Each structure stands twice: as structure tokens, then as C-alpha cells.
Amino acid sequence: MSQPNTTAPRTPWLRPMVARDPAEPHRAATPLELLFDLCFVVAVAQVGAQLHHALSSDHASTGVVSYLMVFFAIWWAWMGFTWFASAYDIDDVPYRLTTFVQITGILILAAGVPRAFTEHDFTLPVIGYVIMRTGLVSQWLRAAHSRPQGRATALRYAVGTVVIQCAWIGWLFVPHAWQTGAFVVLGLLDVCVPIWSEAAGQTPWHPHHIAERYSLFTLIVLGESVLAATLAVQQAIDLRETPLALFSVAGGGLLIVFSIWWLYFAKPAAQFLTSNRAGIPWGYGHYLIFASAAAVGAGLAVNIDYATHHAHVSHTVAGAAVTVPVAVFLLVLYVLHIRPHHVPLAHNLLSPAAVALVLAVTFTGIPVLATGLILAALVAASVVISRPAA
């Protein structure tokens, strides 16, 4: 009697980089993509921690600018890999090795985050970013070689990315006073590369796969808020005389995290990701969703410092460190996730009203707890309005 074949499937050494089927059923994130995301946790944690220290030290003006710049590099590097993998993930040995190169780049970028904040030295983040993007260029060149019908698009991606990477290296030598303006220009040129490339033909990305990948990264940035709320609870337990404000931050922080999760995952996105016209604005808009969600964690940490008398900021500034990113999150989430579903008028009014209320409670005595209660009420109202009629 023959024995059943229990040998695990082998990873192929080399495959033609043909496109994946954009209608492939049950398309889910691969273990390699999960490893890729896991390494981004390090970068997000680094940039969140540095934003926290900058805000607590009353260096908001420089800290927020550095945060937005570094987070842009993190987000855009993740975007490039994610959308490429959705179309061309063939999981052979060269593909895996090239992905490892990209992971190495993000770890180098993460290692340079502290200097970017404290010394305005972006050398390591730029080096890590260029390594990541160079790895992606090699993938696009493979796709151009293996898929004639998508060659023009792939070559545009490769050429555009190489040119912009050379410009980013040159950016390191721009005088400090001009770097922020030059960064904005280069950032805009960087995000224009996919728009220019896709004009030659749409890359066959998978809508459900893209929606899942974005959901997973949302969970990563929410982890910063979970960590901050946990630290608040820990300090409340460790202190002999715990200030009531610390319990307020801990409780409000948990409500904020739970509500943000609920609101983001309440509406499926894949059903309206039907083309580049819908997918590109949706994907780009997530820069603000990811950055604001991660900033909420830094804001909670600032409020922990304020409650324990370790922050050098006013009560209003500490409150704004939470309320402003929450308001940005709610507003962008409404534009990207709620409005496209053509929900009833009452549902359309909820998010803008919640944004106004969240900003207003910045000036109250319990901004974090009040924000958490507003978000919890928004969730409850959304559930009631969305409930099907009996």
C-alpha cells in the first residue's frame, strides 16, 4: 500500500513574475507579508515614542514636523511593497530575498528615527528608505521582464522610483532652512510616480487583499495606543497615591482604542475599490488615518506624563495631543469609509458632529475621558442607525 505524501510544498527557486488574478478567491495576507508588517511595528513604535517625547518637552512645532516627515517615509515604503505584492507576489526565492532587503531597509530607517527628531539628522532614515525602494525597483524590473502586457507600467514604476531616490539622496545636502519645503516637493513627486505609471495600464491588484492589508496596518498603529493605555494602568497601580487624572487617561484611552477599532472595521472597503480612480485616493488618504491613529498613542503618553507631573506643557496642549489626532482620524475615516457607502443623512451627520465635539473637549478638565465617551457614543449611535428594520 502506498503511503500518503505528507511532504510540505517546497518554495520554488525561480518563477516567471506573472500577475496574480485580481479576482482570485480567498486571497489573504501571506506569512511573508505578516513578517514585513511585524518589522514595521519597530519603526512605528520609534516614531511614536519620539513624538511623545517632543510633545512632553514642549517641542511640538519641530516634533510634529519631524513626525510627519518620518511617518511619510514609513507609510510610503509600506505602500510600495503592499500594492506590488497584491499584484505580483509569486513567493519564489528571489522574491523572498528581495523582500528581506526591503525589511532591512525599514529597520535601518527605524534606527535613525531618534536622530531625526533630536538632531534633525535624516541620514539613516534616508539610507533605509532608499534601500527599501531600491529593492522594490528590482521587483518592478522582474515584472517588466516577465509580463509583456504590463511592461510599460512596470518600467515607469522602476524609472520613476530610481529618479526620486536619487533626489532623496540629494535632499540630504539641502541647507537645513530649505529641507522642509524640499521634502514636501519630493514627497509630492514620489506619490505621483504611481499615478504616472498607472496611466500606462492598471496594475492587477486585488481589492479584498488590499483592504485586508490596510486593516492589518491599522491594527499595528492602534497598538501604540494600546501600549500607552497599558502604561497608564501600570503607573496607576505602581504609584502609592494615584492621581485621579491617571485613571481618567487610562479609561478614556481604552474607550478611544476600542471605538477607533470599531469604527474602522464597521464598513468593508473592498466593495468600492473597483478601479485606480477609487483605489488611489483611498490608499493615499490612509496616510492621515495611519499617522493620526499612531499619534493618538503618543498623545495618551503625553497625558500620562502630565498626570504624573512629568510633562512641561499646559493642560490644553496635553489634551490637544489626543483630541487633534482623534479628530483627524474621524474626519478622514468619514471621507474614505463612510461616505462611499451612501449611508443615510443621519449617519453622515454623526462623524462631523463628533469631530466638533472632540475638538471642543480639548479645553475641558478631562479631555481624554471626554473624547473616549464621545467616540463610544458615536459607535452606539452608528450601531442603532445601521440596525436593519424589523
mmCIF file with all atom_site columns, all heavy atoms in Angstrom, residues 134-150:
data_model
loop_
_atom_site.group_PDB
_atom_site.id
_atom_site.type_symbol
_atom_site.label_atom_id
_atom_site.label_alt_id
_atom_site.label_comp_id
_atom_site.label_asym_id
_atom_site.label_entity_id
_atom_site.label_seq_id
_atom_site.pdbx_PDB_ins_code
_atom_site.Cartn_x
_atom_site.Cartn_y
_atom_site.Cartn_z
_atom_site.occupancy
_atom_site.B_iso_or_equiv
_atom_site.pdbx_formal_charge
_atom_site.auth_seq_id
_atom_site.auth_comp_id
_atom_site.auth_asym_id
_atom_site.auth_atom_id
_atom_site.pdbx_PDB_model_num
ATOM 1   N N   . THR A 1 134 ? 14.931 50.677 -3.450  1.00 0.00 ? 134 THR A N   1
ATOM 2   C CA  . THR A 1 134 ? 15.775 50.018 -4.450  1.00 0.00 ? 134 THR A CA  1
ATOM 3   C C   . THR A 1 134 ? 15.386 48.548 -4.592  1.00 0.00 ? 134 THR A C   1
ATOM 4   O O   . THR A 1 134 ? 15.352 47.997 -5.694  1.00 0.00 ? 134 THR A O   1
ATOM 5   C CB  . THR A 1 134 ? 17.258 50.140 -4.069  1.00 0.00 ? 134 THR A CB  1
ATOM 6   O OG1 . THR A 1 134 ? 17.608 51.528 -3.968  1.00 0.00 ? 134 THR A OG1 1
ATOM 7   C CG2 . THR A 1 134 ? 18.148 49.479 -5.099  1.00 0.00 ? 134 THR A CG2 1
ATOM 8   N N   . GLY A 1 135 ? 15.088 47.901 -3.470  1.00 0.00 ? 135 GLY A N   1
ATOM 9   C CA  . GLY A 1 135 ? 14.591 46.523 -3.532  1.00 0.00 ? 135 GLY A CA  1
ATOM 10  C C   . GLY A 1 135 ? 13.314 46.433 -4.337  1.00 0.00 ? 135 GLY A C   1
ATOM 11  O O   . GLY A 1 135 ? 13.110 45.485 -5.115  1.00 0.00 ? 135 GLY A O   1
ATOM 12  N N   . LEU A 1 136 ? 12.451 47.437 -4.188  1.00 0.00 ? 136 LEU A N   1
ATOM 13  C CA  . LEU A 1 136 ? 11.198 47.437 -4.945  1.00 0.00 ? 136 LEU A CA  1
ATOM 14  C C   . LEU A 1 136 ? 11.460 47.631 -6.443  1.00 0.00 ? 136 LEU A C   1
ATOM 15  O O   . LEU A 1 136 ? 10.766 47.041 -7.278  1.00 0.00 ? 136 LEU A O   1
ATOM 16  C CB  . LEU A 1 136 ? 10.282 48.538 -4.418  1.00 0.00 ? 136 LEU A CB  1
ATOM 17  C CG  . LEU A 1 136 ? 8.876  48.607 -5.026  1.00 0.00 ? 136 LEU A CG  1
ATOM 18  C CD1 . LEU A 1 136 ? 8.109  47.320 -4.749  1.00 0.00 ? 136 LEU A CD1 1
ATOM 19  C CD2 . LEU A 1 136 ? 8.119  49.811 -4.487  1.00 0.00 ? 136 LEU A CD2 1
ATOM 20  N N   . VAL A 1 137 ? 12.463 48.437 -6.788  1.00 0.00 ? 137 VAL A N   1
ATOM 21  C CA  . VAL A 1 137 ? 12.806 48.653 -8.197  1.00 0.00 ? 137 VAL A CA  1
ATOM 22  C C   . VAL A 1 137 ? 13.160 47.327 -8.866  1.00 0.00 ? 137 VAL A C   1
ATOM 23  O O   . VAL A 1 137 ? 12.734 47.039 -10.001 1.00 0.00 ? 137 VAL A O   1
ATOM 24  C CB  . VAL A 1 137 ? 13.970 49.660 -8.329  1.00 0.00 ? 137 VAL A CB  1
ATOM 25  C CG1 . VAL A 1 137 ? 14.538 49.642 -9.747  1.00 0.00 ? 137 VAL A CG1 1
ATOM 26  C CG2 . VAL A 1 137 ? 13.500 51.062 -7.965  1.00 0.00 ? 137 VAL A CG2 1
ATOM 27  N N   . SER A 1 138 ? 13.949 46.502 -8.178  1.00 0.00 ? 138 SER A N   1
ATOM 28  C CA  . SER A 1 138 ? 14.326 45.210 -8.761  1.00 0.00 ? 138 SER A CA  1
ATOM 29  C C   . SER A 1 138 ? 13.103 44.331 -9.010  1.00 0.00 ? 138 SER A C   1
ATOM 30  O O   . SER A 1 138 ? 13.047 43.577 -9.994  1.00 0.00 ? 138 SER A O   1
ATOM 31  C CB  . SER A 1 138 ? 15.324 44.490 -7.850  1.00 0.00 ? 138 SER A CB  1
ATOM 32  O OG  . SER A 1 138 ? 14.712 44.069 -6.649  1.00 0.00 ? 138 SER A OG  1
ATOM 33  N N   . GLN A 1 139 ? 12.106 44.429 -8.126  1.00 0.00 ? 139 GLN A N   1
ATOM 34  C CA  . GLN A 1 139 ? 10.872 43.671 -8.337  1.00 0.00 ? 139 GLN A CA  1
ATOM 35  C C   . GLN A 1 139 ? 10.121 44.171 -9.569  1.00 0.00 ? 139 GLN A C   1
ATOM 36  O O   . GLN A 1 139 ? 9.601  43.367 -10.368 1.00 0.00 ? 139 GLN A O   1
ATOM 37  C CB  . GLN A 1 139 ? 9.973  43.791 -7.092  1.00 0.00 ? 139 GLN A CB  1
ATOM 38  C CG  . GLN A 1 139 ? 10.596 43.297 -5.792  1.00 0.00 ? 139 GLN A CG  1
ATOM 39  C CD  . GLN A 1 139 ? 10.527 41.778 -5.657  1.00 0.00 ? 139 GLN A CD  1
ATOM 40  O OE1 . GLN A 1 139 ? 10.781 41.041 -6.609  1.00 0.00 ? 139 GLN A OE1 1
ATOM 41  N NE2 . GLN A 1 139 ? 10.200 41.307 -4.468  1.00 0.00 ? 139 GLN A NE2 1
ATOM 42  N N   . TRP A 1 140 ? 10.059 45.481 -9.746  1.00 0.00 ? 140 TRP A N   1
ATOM 43  C CA  . TRP A 1 140 ? 9.356  46.022 -10.907 1.00 0.00 ? 140 TRP A CA  1
ATOM 44  C C   . TRP A 1 140 ? 10.063 45.638 -12.204 1.00 0.00 ? 140 TRP A C   1
ATOM 45  O O   . TRP A 1 140 ? 9.420  45.378 -13.234 1.00 0.00 ? 140 TRP A O   1
ATOM 46  C CB  . TRP A 1 140 ? 9.243  47.548 -10.806 1.00 0.00 ? 140 TRP A CB  1
ATOM 47  C CG  . TRP A 1 140 ? 8.124  48.001 -9.919  1.00 0.00 ? 140 TRP A CG  1
ATOM 48  C CD1 . TRP A 1 140 ? 8.217  48.726 -8.764  1.00 0.00 ? 140 TRP A CD1 1
ATOM 49  C CD2 . TRP A 1 140 ? 6.715  47.775 -10.140 1.00 0.00 ? 140 TRP A CD2 1
ATOM 50  N NE1 . TRP A 1 140 ? 6.971  48.953 -8.234  1.00 0.00 ? 140 TRP A NE1 1
ATOM 51  C CE2 . TRP A 1 140 ? 6.031  48.393 -9.058  1.00 0.00 ? 140 TRP A CE2 1
ATOM 52  C CE3 . TRP A 1 140 ? 5.979  47.136 -11.127 1.00 0.00 ? 140 TRP A CE3 1
ATOM 53  C CZ2 . TRP A 1 140 ? 4.645  48.359 -8.955  1.00 0.00 ? 140 TRP A CZ2 1
ATOM 54  C CZ3 . TRP A 1 140 ? 4.589  47.102 -11.016 1.00 0.00 ? 140 TRP A CZ3 1
ATOM 55  C CH2 . TRP A 1 140 ? 3.933  47.712 -9.941  1.00 0.00 ? 140 TRP A CH2 1
ATOM 56  N N   . LEU A 1 141 ? 11.399 45.590 -12.163 1.00 0.00 ? 141 LEU A N   1
ATOM 57  C CA  . LEU A 1 141 ? 12.138 45.187 -13.360 1.00 0.00 ? 141 LEU A CA  1
ATOM 58  C C   . LEU A 1 141 ? 11.872 43.719 -13.698 1.00 0.00 ? 141 LEU A C   1
ATOM 59  O O   . LEU A 1 141 ? 11.773 43.356 -14.871 1.00 0.00 ? 141 LEU A O   1
ATOM 60  C CB  . LEU A 1 141 ? 13.635 45.429 -13.154 1.00 0.00 ? 141 LEU A CB  1
ATOM 61  C CG  . LEU A 1 141 ? 14.059 46.900 -13.106 1.00 0.00 ? 141 LEU A CG  1
ATOM 62  C CD1 . LEU A 1 141 ? 15.544 47.015 -12.791 1.00 0.00 ? 141 LEU A CD1 1
ATOM 63  C CD2 . LEU A 1 141 ? 13.736 47.605 -14.423 1.00 0.00 ? 141 LEU A CD2 1
ATOM 64  N N   . ARG A 1 142 ? 11.743 42.872 -12.690 1.00 0.00 ? 142 ARG A N   1
ATOM 65  C CA  . ARG A 1 142 ? 11.369 41.477 -12.930 1.00 0.00 ? 142 ARG A CA  1
ATOM 66  C C   . ARG A 1 142 ? 9.985  41.396 -13.557 1.00 0.00 ? 142 ARG A C   1
ATOM 67  O O   . ARG A 1 142 ? 9.750  40.611 -14.485 1.00 0.00 ? 142 ARG A O   1
ATOM 68  C CB  . ARG A 1 142 ? 11.380 40.675 -11.631 1.00 0.00 ? 142 ARG A CB  1
ATOM 69  C CG  . ARG A 1 142 ? 12.731 40.269 -11.103 1.00 0.00 ? 142 ARG A CG  1
ATOM 70  C CD  . ARG A 1 142 ? 12.567 39.247 -9.986  1.00 0.00 ? 142 ARG A CD  1
ATOM 71  N NE  . ARG A 1 142 ? 12.042 37.989 -10.501 1.00 0.00 ? 142 ARG A NE  1
ATOM 72  C CZ  . ARG A 1 142 ? 11.573 37.000 -9.730  1.00 0.00 ? 142 ARG A CZ  1
ATOM 73  N NH1 . ARG A 1 142 ? 11.559 37.145 -8.409  1.00 0.00 ? 142 ARG A NH1 1
ATOM 74  N NH2 . ARG A 1 142 ? 11.126 35.892 -10.266 1.00 0.00 ? 142 ARG A NH2 1
ATOM 75  N N   . ALA A 1 143 ? 9.067  42.195 -13.038 1.00 0.00 ? 143 ALA A N   1
ATOM 76  C CA  . ALA A 1 143 ? 7.713  42.189 -13.589 1.00 0.00 ? 143 ALA A CA  1
ATOM 77  C C   . ALA A 1 143 ? 7.710  42.660 -15.045 1.00 0.00 ? 143 ALA A C   1
ATOM 78  O O   . ALA A 1 143 ? 6.996  42.109 -15.888 1.00 0.00 ? 143 ALA A O   1
ATOM 79  C CB  . ALA A 1 143 ? 6.806  43.077 -12.740 1.00 0.00 ? 143 ALA A CB  1
ATOM 80  N N   . ALA A 1 144 ? 8.528  43.677 -15.341 1.00 0.00 ? 144 ALA A N   1
ATOM 81  C CA  . ALA A 1 144 ? 8.607  44.173 -16.727 1.00 0.00 ? 144 ALA A CA  1
ATOM 82  C C   . ALA A 1 144 ? 9.164  43.118 -17.659 1.00 0.00 ? 144 ALA A C   1
ATOM 83  O O   . ALA A 1 144 ? 8.729  42.994 -18.813 1.00 0.00 ? 144 ALA A O   1
ATOM 84  C CB  . ALA A 1 144 ? 9.477  45.431 -16.763 1.00 0.00 ? 144 ALA A CB  1
ATOM 85  N N   . HIS A 1 145 ? 10.107 42.323 -17.168 1.00 0.00 ? 145 HIS A N   1
ATOM 86  C CA  . HIS A 1 145 ? 10.719 41.283 -17.992 1.00 0.00 ? 145 HIS A CA  1
ATOM 87  C C   . HIS A 1 145 ? 9.772  40.110 -18.229 1.00 0.00 ? 145 HIS A C   1
ATOM 88  O O   . HIS A 1 145 ? 9.770  39.509 -19.313 1.00 0.00 ? 145 HIS A O   1
ATOM 89  C CB  . HIS A 1 145 ? 11.999 40.791 -17.312 1.00 0.00 ? 145 HIS A CB  1
ATOM 90  C CG  . HIS A 1 145 ? 12.661 39.652 -18.029 1.00 0.00 ? 145 HIS A CG  1
ATOM 91  N ND1 . HIS A 1 145 ? 13.351 39.814 -19.216 1.00 0.00 ? 145 HIS A ND1 1
ATOM 92  C CD2 . HIS A 1 145 ? 12.728 38.305 -17.738 1.00 0.00 ? 145 HIS A CD2 1
ATOM 93  C CE1 . HIS A 1 145 ? 13.820 38.650 -19.614 1.00 0.00 ? 145 HIS A CE1 1
ATOM 94  N NE2 . HIS A 1 145 ? 13.452 37.716 -18.746 1.00 0.00 ? 145 HIS A NE2 1
ATOM 95  N N   . SER A 1 146 ? 8.942  39.786 -17.235 1.00 0.00 ? 146 SER A N   1
ATOM 96  C CA  . SER A 1 146 ? 8.124  38.573 -17.299 1.00 0.00 ? 146 SER A CA  1
ATOM 97  C C   . SER A 1 146 ? 6.722  38.794 -17.853 1.00 0.00 ? 146 SER A C   1
ATOM 98  O O   . SER A 1 146 ? 6.071  37.842 -18.264 1.00 0.00 ? 146 SER A O   1
ATOM 99  C CB  . SER A 1 146 ? 8.013  37.943 -15.898 1.00 0.00 ? 146 SER A CB  1
ATOM 100 O OG  . SER A 1 146 ? 9.278  37.625 -15.378 1.00 0.00 ? 146 SER A OG  1
ATOM 101 N N   . ARG A 1 147 ? 6.243  40.041 -17.842 1.00 0.00 ? 147 ARG A N   1
ATOM 102 C CA  . ARG A 1 147 ? 4.845  40.285 -18.230 1.00 0.00 ? 147 ARG A CA  1
ATOM 103 C C   . ARG A 1 147 ? 4.792  41.379 -19.299 1.00 0.00 ? 147 ARG A C   1
ATOM 104 O O   . ARG A 1 147 ? 4.718  42.570 -18.976 1.00 0.00 ? 147 ARG A O   1
ATOM 105 C CB  . ARG A 1 147 ? 4.029  40.698 -17.003 1.00 0.00 ? 147 ARG A CB  1
ATOM 106 C CG  . ARG A 1 147 ? 2.540  40.862 -17.275 1.00 0.00 ? 147 ARG A CG  1
ATOM 107 C CD  . ARG A 1 147 ? 1.773  41.063 -15.977 1.00 0.00 ? 147 ARG A CD  1
ATOM 108 N NE  . ARG A 1 147 ? 0.347  41.233 -16.245 1.00 0.00 ? 147 ARG A NE  1
ATOM 109 C CZ  . ARG A 1 147 ? -0.276 42.418 -16.234 1.00 0.00 ? 147 ARG A CZ  1
ATOM 110 N NH1 . ARG A 1 147 ? 0.405  43.528 -15.982 1.00 0.00 ? 147 ARG A NH1 1
ATOM 111 N NH2 . ARG A 1 147 ? -1.576 42.500 -16.483 1.00 0.00 ? 147 ARG A NH2 1
ATOM 112 N N   . PRO A 1 148 ? 4.829  40.992 -20.583 1.00 0.00 ? 148 PRO A N   1
ATOM 113 C CA  . PRO A 1 148 ? 4.868  41.985 -21.666 1.00 0.00 ? 148 PRO A CA  1
ATOM 114 C C   . PRO A 1 148 ? 3.709  42.973 -21.629 1.00 0.00 ? 148 PRO A C   1
ATOM 115 O O   . PRO A 1 148 ? 3.897  44.159 -21.899 1.00 0.00 ? 148 PRO A O   1
ATOM 116 C CB  . PRO A 1 148 ? 4.831  41.124 -22.932 1.00 0.00 ? 148 PRO A CB  1
ATOM 117 C CG  . PRO A 1 148 ? 5.368  39.791 -22.509 1.00 0.00 ? 148 PRO A CG  1
ATOM 118 C CD  . PRO A 1 148 ? 4.911  39.603 -21.095 1.00 0.00 ? 148 PRO A CD  1
ATOM 119 N N   . GLN A 1 149 ? 2.488  42.490 -21.289 1.00 0.00 ? 149 GLN A N   1
ATOM 120 C CA  . GLN A 1 149 ? 1.338  43.384 -21.333 1.00 0.00 ? 149 GLN A CA  1
ATOM 121 C C   . GLN A 1 149 ? 1.378  44.441 -20.231 1.00 0.00 ? 149 GLN A C   1
ATOM 122 O O   . GLN A 1 149 ? 0.676  45.444 -20.308 1.00 0.00 ? 149 GLN A O   1
ATOM 123 C CB  . GLN A 1 149 ? 0.022  42.605 -21.261 1.00 0.00 ? 149 GLN A CB  1
ATOM 124 C CG  . GLN A 1 149 ? -0.178 41.796 -19.981 1.00 0.00 ? 149 GLN A CG  1
ATOM 125 C CD  . GLN A 1 149 ? 0.346  40.384 -20.101 1.00 0.00 ? 149 GLN A CD  1
ATOM 126 O OE1 . GLN A 1 149 ? 1.410  40.174 -20.695 1.00 0.00 ? 149 GLN A OE1 1
ATOM 127 N NE2 . GLN A 1 149 ? -0.381 39.430 -19.557 1.00 0.00 ? 149 GLN A NE2 1
ATOM 128 N N   . GLY A 1 150 ? 2.183  44.227 -19.192 1.00 0.00 ? 150 GLY A N   1
ATOM 129 C CA  . GLY A 1 150 ? 2.312  45.226 -18.137 1.00 0.00 ? 150 GLY A CA  1
ATOM 130 C C   . GLY A 1 150 ? 3.683  45.877 -18.104 1.00 0.00 ? 150 GLY A C   1
ATOM 131 O O   . GLY A 1 150 ? 4.018  46.551 -17.135 1.00 0.00 ? 150 GLY A O   1
#
